[in-house]
């Protein structure tokens, strides 16, 4: 039976067919906070401004129950090959499992994971303490992370989020793109004699990364590094350790993770080495512990009290029953500026699927377009569309209750940030009616005719679904819990949609064509069999 034919789905469709009261009414629902405010692992989720009432909430929970979420979750946590098209387990949670007495994935694997984490942490300490030296004998001062997608977005985001803990001894740089401008911009700031390169690639076959690694090697050679000393200024982070060693990376500087860690879920592995160096191994372990706390909550909490389940169900309601095509993530904490970009890969590469697990094309919407940026900057850029445009854009607003920036006026700054977060949550959800607008314009002294003329342009329809996510303060543990919360939200949404969340076949066609195009450009050739449009473009480039 197709998902859309299931009674639980049809019950929701029936509820969606009867328009709910406006959020400015729904926020007065008795006992709303009892089911729509949840907290766990240091995160508070407030979805009282989502366009649901208790009846919809109960029907959404019934959908989750019907999808067998708990059984699917337990299968993943038990290490079953839930990544069915690649025949792999999905066990990024094992990377933060800590020394649990009896992890479901087996104590031998836990020992291996802990050992590899210790290796990476020890290496990070060695770099931070100046015990890793460049070809001139001076301590490493620059670490350049070469990687793309999940091998870049996680470390880059976490290093910025934890910048308050940044090491003064070592500067972190990130290069993801094969455009030489990005590598050049970093190399201009670095000193060849004190620069260490991380080549981060799960497969160790990603051309975008390997071309940067080759140019980095040439840069060292061009700047006086003896050929035999080049490998000492590289470390490889990969699930393909054999290939890295075969390509000349020093085995003691090859850090491995496993094929059951998806690229977009690999921050918790040695891919997080830039974070271990920038913020320190202690902070990285706190990140893992925060994620572990959310894992434990996800594993144990009943569906009705489960934060990832609640977020996923709001997402399903907005996507499938309110028809919202996108999901905004707007942090009101500046160090989280890169979180939306990280969540784009996590969610869209997981849920951007059109075929269900049985191979049938789905007859319902799946993954939303995830986008966003810092909320306060967005208010001065694109929030106009959220308030008065023609798209319904559900918004996750992320705030911290406390701000620990050591500036005298930090508290006043933070109050302004909080005031804007609260204002946007209220304005987006409750809006301002035309009558209220007329009153406001008249109170501002506008003559009645002018007020009547302007009122339609200054009315706020509201009814935009908003979730608030509160961290007590932004630290490694709360960051870990927040990321894990979104990871498990993605899992639950995909499980309900019945799609495979842990493969990404959609990236392979572009890669194959790019490889052919690269060969044509290198040979200045335009193949006869190429379609005329592509041929014309290629011809314009090969001269
Ligand atoms: O092409 C998509 C992708 O495979 C992502 O899933 C992955 O994070 C990225 O490319 C980088 O892959 P790798 O870490 O193997 O270089």
């Amino acid at each position: 039976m197709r998902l859309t034919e299931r009674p639980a789905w049809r019950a929701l469709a029936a509820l969606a067919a009867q328009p709910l009261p406006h959020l400015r009414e729904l926020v007065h629902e008795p006992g709303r906070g009892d089911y729509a405010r949840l907290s766990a692992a240091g995160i508070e989720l407030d979805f009282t401004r989502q366009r649901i009432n208790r009846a919809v909430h109960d029907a959404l929970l019934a959908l989750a129950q019907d999808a067998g979420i708990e059984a699917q979750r337990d299968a993943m946590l038990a290490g079953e090959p839930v990544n069915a098209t690649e025949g792999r387990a999905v066990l990024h949670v094992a990377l933060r499992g800590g020394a649990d007495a009896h992890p479901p994935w087996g104590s031998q694997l836990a020992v291996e994971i802990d050992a590899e984490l210790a290796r990476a942490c020890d290496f990070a300490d060695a770099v931070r303490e100046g015990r890793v030296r460049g070809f001139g004998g001076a301590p490493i001062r620059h670490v350049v992370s070469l990687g793309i997608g999940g091998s870049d977005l996680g470390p880059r985001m976490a290093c910025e989020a934890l910048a308050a803990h940044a090491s003064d001894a070592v500067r972190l740089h990130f290069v993801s793109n094969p455009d030489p401008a990005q590598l050049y911009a970093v190399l201009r700031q670095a000193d060849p004699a004190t620069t260490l390169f991380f080549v981060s690639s799960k497969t160790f076959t990603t051309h975008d990364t390997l071309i940067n690694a080759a140019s980095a090697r040439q840069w060292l050679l061009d700047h006086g590094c003896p050929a035999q000393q080049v490998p000492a200024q590289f470390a490889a982070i990969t699930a393909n350790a054999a290939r890295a060693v075969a390509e000349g990376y020093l085995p003691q500087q090859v850090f491995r993770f496993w094929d059951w860690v998806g690229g977009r879920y690999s921050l918790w592995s040695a891919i997080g080495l830039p974070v271990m160096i920038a913020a320190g191994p202690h902070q990285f372990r706190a990140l893992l512990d925060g994620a572990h706390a959310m894992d434990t909550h996800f594993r144990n909490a009943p569906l009705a009290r489960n934060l990832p389940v609640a977020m996923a169900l709001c997402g399903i309601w907005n996507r499938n029953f309110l028809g919202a095509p996108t999901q905004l993530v707007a942090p009101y904490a500046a160090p989280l500026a890169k979180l939306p970009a990280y969540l784009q890969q996590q969610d869209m590469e997981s849920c951007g699927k059109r075929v269900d697990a049985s191979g049938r094309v789905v007859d319902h919407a799946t993954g939303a377009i995830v986008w966003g940026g810092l909320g306060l900057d967005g208010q001065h850029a694109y929030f106009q569309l959220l308030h008065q445009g023609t798209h319904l854009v559900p918004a996750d607003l992320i705030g911290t209750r406390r701000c620990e920036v050591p500036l005298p006026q930090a508290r006043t700054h933070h109050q302004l940030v909080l005031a804007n977060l609260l204002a946007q949550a209220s304005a987006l959800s409750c809006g301002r009616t035309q009558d209220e607008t007329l009153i406001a314009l008249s109170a501002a002294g506008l003559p009645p005719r002018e007020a009547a003329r302007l009122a339609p342009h200054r009315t706020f329809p509201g009814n935009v679904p908003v979730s608030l996510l509160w961290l007590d303060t932004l630290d490694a543990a709360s960051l870990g819990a927040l990321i894990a919360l979104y990871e498990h939200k993605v899992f639950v949404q995909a499980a309900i949609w019945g799609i495979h969340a842990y493969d990404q076949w959609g990236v392979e066609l572009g890669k194959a064509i790019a490889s052919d195009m690269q060969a044509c450009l290198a040979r200045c050739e335009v193949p006869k069999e190429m379609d005329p449009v592509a041929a014309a473009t290629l011809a314009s480039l090969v001269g």
Side-chain angles (χ1 to χ4, degrees):
M1 182 189 292
R2 297 184 81 97
L3 172 61
T4 51
E5 294 162 350
R6 302 187 69 83
W9 186 275
R10 292 190 161 185
L12 283 161
L15 286 169
Q18 312 150 11
L20 280 176
H22 191 287
L23 270 168
R24 66 169 72 94
E25 271 70 52
L26 283 175
V27 296
H28 296 285
E29 182 190 33
R32 189 169 183 79
D34 297 343
Y35 68 86
R37 284 199 188 94
L38 306 173
S39 63
I43 308 282
E44 294 169 63
L45 170 65
D46 176 350
F47 59 99
T48 53
R49 294 182 182 84
Q50 286 288 335
R51 285 172 50 175
I52 63 174
N53 59 11
R54 192 179 282 276
V56 172
H57 182 251
D58 293 347
L60 286 166
L61 286 174
L63 182 71
Q65 199 80 41
D66 180 65
I69 291 300
E70 286 141 320
Q72 292 196 59
R73 172 199 63 198
D74 296 346
M76 174 180 70
L77 296 178
E80 291 181 23
V82 297
N83 177 353
T85 63
E86 295 182 299
R88 291 173 181 165
V90 173
L91 274 177
H92 46 280
V93 295
L95 297 172
R96 61 228 188 179
D100 275 357
H102 302 289
W105 37 82
S107 49
Q108 178 50 40
L109 182 55
V111 166
E112 275 180 50
I113 290 166
D114 285 352
E116 201 58 25
L117 172 61
R119 271 191 77 222
C121 288
D122 290 347
F123 185 68
D125 276 332
V127 172
R128 290 164 55 90
E129 293 161 12
R131 290 183 277 119
V132 178
R133 294 173 179 273
F135 64 86
I140 291 298
R141 288 281 175 262
H142 297 268
V143 170
V144 180
S145 171
L146 306 174
I148 196 165
S151 295
D152 168 75
L153 289 165
R156 196 192 284 252
M157 175 273 297
C159 282
E160 181 160 318
L162 301 177
H165 302 280
S167 154
D168 297 325
V170 180
R171 265 191 72 189
L172 254 295
H173 310 265
F174 290 90
V175 177
S176 56
N177 202 292
D179 182 330
Q182 208 177 75
L183 179 63
Y184 177 66
V186 163
L187 297 183
R188 287 182 68 195
Q189 305 169 48
D191 162 18
T194 61
T195 296
L196 173 70
F197 291 96
F198 281 157
V199 180
S200 297
S201 176
K202 175 178 178 182
T203 57
F204 230 70
T205 61
T206 302
H207 294 167
D208 310 325
T209 298
L210 299 180
I211 195 171
N212 278 323
S215 291
R217 255 192 300 280
Q218 191 57 51
W219 179 72
L220 285 182
L221 292 169
D222 294 346
H223 290 81
C225 180
Q228 69 275 17
Q229 289 185 253
V230 164
Q233 290 185 225
F234 278 82
I237 306 170
T238 181
N240 192 352
R243 181 161 185 150
V245 171
E247 290 188 9
Y249 289 80
L250 299 178
Q252 64 270 30
Q253 291 182 192
V254 174
F255 300 92
R256 64 183 282 257
F257 58 106
W258 294 265
D259 68 2
W260 39 260
V261 180
R264 53 193 175 275
Y265 299 92
S266 62
L267 166 63
W268 323 99
S269 73
I271 288 287
L273 247 165
V275 187
M276 297 176 208
I277 288 177
H282 174 71
Q283 293 297 331
F284 186 77
R285 288 181 182 276
L287 184 81
L288 294 176
D289 292 346
H292 180 54
M294 185 57 74
D295 295 342
T296 304
H297 164 74
F298 177 51
R299 184 206 305 270
N300 299 328
L303 294 179
R305 309 304 300 169
N306 201 299
L307 274 73
V309 171
M311 285 188 70
L313 292 176
C314 290
I316 295 266
W317 180 249
N318 292 331
R319 183 87 186 90
N320 296 103
F321 299 97
L322 300 186
T326 80
Q327 172 66 51
L328 172 70
V329 177
Y332 278 77
L336 292 178
K338 291 188 169 56
L339 180 67
Y342 172 79
L343 295 177
Q344 270 188 333
Q345 184 197 16
Q346 183 200 80
D347 195 313
M348 294 170 73
E349 200 166 75
S350 298
C351 294
K353 311 292 171 59
R354 55 187 287 279
V355 170
D356 68 19
S358 69
R360 280 184 309 193
V361 176
V362 297
D363 61 353
H364 55 77
T366 56
I369 296 166
V370 174
W371 64 291
L374 291 181
L376 255 159
D377 296 81
Q379 291 173 210
H380 298 276
Y382 50 78
F383 271 46
Q384 163 65 42
L385 181 142
L386 308 183
H387 285 287
Q388 295 185 324
T390 56
H391 280 291
L392 179 69
V393 181
D396 285 355
L397 308 184
I398 303 169
T400 62
R401 291 190 178 283
R402 290 188 297 118
C403 167
E404 293 173 335
V405 174
L407 276 179
Q409 295 304 315
R411 180 175 165 74
T412 309
H413 285 253
H414 190 231
Q415 281 174 351
L416 178 60
V417 171
L418 290 178
N420 275 277
L421 192 166
L422 296 175
Q424 290 303 319
S426 179
L428 286 167
S429 55
C430 297
R432 186 175 71 184
T433 65
Q434 184 138 323
D435 290 347
E436 290 165 340
T437 299
L438 278 168
I439 293 166
L441 296 180
S442 304
L446 267 68
R449 282 173 59 83
E450 182 67 354
R453 184 177 74 83
L454 290 178
H457 304 281
R458 299 180 64 170
T459 294
F460 291 75
N463 224 18
V464 175
V466 174
S467 283
L468 301 186
L469 291 102
W470 291 104
L471 285 57
D472 179 46
T473 185
L474 177 59
D475 58 22
S478 59
L479 178 64
L482 181 68
I483 297 168
L485 168 55
Y486 273 99
E487 283 180 347
H488 297 317
K489 171 210 173 180
V490 163
F491 170 84
V492 174
Q493 283 191 167
I496 289 173
W497 284 326
I499 58 177
H500 285 314
Y502 297 103
D503 56 21
Q504 52 286 320
W505 300 111
V507 303
E508 68 173 357
L509 180 59
K511 286 181 180 177
I513 296 173
S515 180
D516 294 343
M517 289 293 184
Q518 192 176 10
C520 293
L521 289 165
R523 293 197 302 264
C524 292
E525 268 180 17
V526 180
K528 294 186 300 299
E529 63 278 11
M530 188 173 278
D531 73 73
V533 168
T537 308
L538 185 60
S540 72
L541 293 169
V542 297

